[in-house]
Amino acid sequence: MCYLHRQQVTKIRQSQEKAKPPRVPPVFQRLSSAEVKFPNYADVPSFMESGTVWASSLTRDNGGMTQRQLMRATVETPIGRMMMASDGEGLTELCLEDWWWATDHQAVLDSNRESDSEPDVFRITREWLTAYFAGERPGSDQVPPLHPAGTPFQHEVWNLVAEIPYGMTVSYGELAAELAERRGGGRMTAQAVGGAVKRNPVTIIVPCHRVVGSGRAFGGYGGRLDIKAELLELEGVDLARFDLPNL
């Protein structure tokens, strides 16, 4: 093959490679749809129950600021005490009480009297967590209703994270490639996806701990990396795959 012909073949192959769609992670190819879907919060009706303790919370939702009345409670777990928040119908937050986004609400929680009547979603969440930490794999019928506040882009990312199966991991880059694929092509940066993953307000149930870095990188976590490692180990993930920091 002459030199000029080889150059032409090389250019053709390069153009074909550029035309290929982003690689779809195998973990998503095995799933037909997400088990958990987040509604547009503007479509969720306001709900307040007499006898409950509500805290006013100003949150950013779908690009704007929305005043929301939230009820808060705690639940004890093997990894520590967790904070739950609800609008009365769905779970809006679930995180360890010492995580960075929980600190703003701790004073409100500490000052509240005990509720005479909790939303049913708190009972469902406690049951889900009990089953999870017992080594079970709670099904979609056991997931509490989820009403987290977020932008449309964050909801897109959280929906993808909710699809990651128990005991499996996906990188930020793979999430970005999958989101770009579902949008019909184009580019999506791992950094943008990582920012949305960090803002996930419903941890464990929406398993952001299953999102890792590329190669042997362990990636970050909104809480503590030792908690991320503990959750993955509980699910049977081989942590020897990663270069773990000193936890």
Side-chain angles (χ1 to χ4, degrees):
M1 184 182 296
C2 69
Y3 173 73
L4 290 178
H5 185 57
R6 283 200 303 271
Q7 278 190 319
Q8 290 176 337
V9 171
T10 300
K11 289 181 179 179
I12 291 172
R13 287 176 177 172
Q14 288 176 342
S15 64
Q16 288 174 339
E17 287 295 323
K18 290 180 180 178
K20 287 182 179 179
R23 184 174 66 87
V24 179
V27 63
F28 294 114
Q29 291 176 335
R30 288 194 291 271
L31 297 174
S32 58
S33 62
E35 291 185 344
V36 180
K37 289 293 184 183
F38 302 109
N40 181 332
Y41 197 81
D43 297 331
V44 178
S46 175
F47 179 85
M48 296 189 67
E49 180 181 355
S50 61
T52 57
V53 177
W54 297 86
S56 179
S57 177
L58 190 64
T59 57
R60 182 172 297 277
D61 181 40
N62 291 328
M65 299 303 292
T66 304
Q67 189 77 21
R68 306 172 66 191
Q69 296 294 324
L70 300 179
M71 180 181 180
R72 302 186 184 281
T74 59
V75 55
E76 298 293 336
T77 75
I79 61 172
R81 178 180 293 173
M82 301 192 74
M83 290 180 59
M84 301 180 290
S86 172
D87 57 7
E89 291 188 337
L91 189 68
T92 60
E93 297 172 29
L94 176 66
C95 65
L96 283 170
E97 64 177 356
D98 60 349
W99 285 11
W100 65 273
W101 63 78
T103 55
D104 293 340
H105 308 307
Q106 189 61 48
V108 173
L109 183 66
D110 291 342
S111 65
N112 283 340
R113 62 178 174 81
E114 288 189 6
S115 170
D116 298 327
S117 177
E118 283 191 340
D120 198 45
V121 66
F122 285 166
R123 175 189 59 80
I124 298 173
T125 301
R126 288 191 176 97
E127 291 175 352
W128 191 98
L129 289 170
T130 298
Y132 175 82
F133 284 110
E136 302 174 15
R137 304 185 183 190
S140 58
D141 59 331
Q142 296 172 275
V143 176
L146 301 180
H147 292 173
T151 65
F153 174 73
Q154 288 172 335
H155 280 193
E156 281 187 272
V157 174
W158 299 340
N159 272 322
L160 281 181
V161 173
E163 292 186 31
I164 306 173
Y166 184 100
M168 299 189 70
T169 59
V170 171
S171 73
Y172 298 99
E174 288 172 329
L175 276 179
E178 173 66 6
L179 183 55
E181 176 75 8
R182 296 191 184 189
R183 285 182 163 191
R187 292 182 58 83
M188 179 64 59
T189 67
Q191 289 78 8
V193 168
V197 171
K198 181 181 179 181
R199 292 287 176 178
N200 168 32
V202 183
T203 62
I204 305 182
I205 294 178
V206 179
C208 51
H209 61 278
R210 297 175 192 159
V211 184
V212 298
S214 60
R216 294 182 57 85
F218 196 48
Y221 199 43
R224 304 195 311 265
L225 289 179
D226 60 321
I227 296 296
K228 179 176 183 175
E230 189 172 344
L231 294 173
L232 290 177
E233 193 170 35
L234 172 67
E235 297 181 12
V237 174
D238 181 12
L239 296 183
R241 295 165 37 201
F242 306 104
D243 293 325
L244 296 178
N246 295 324
L247 303 178

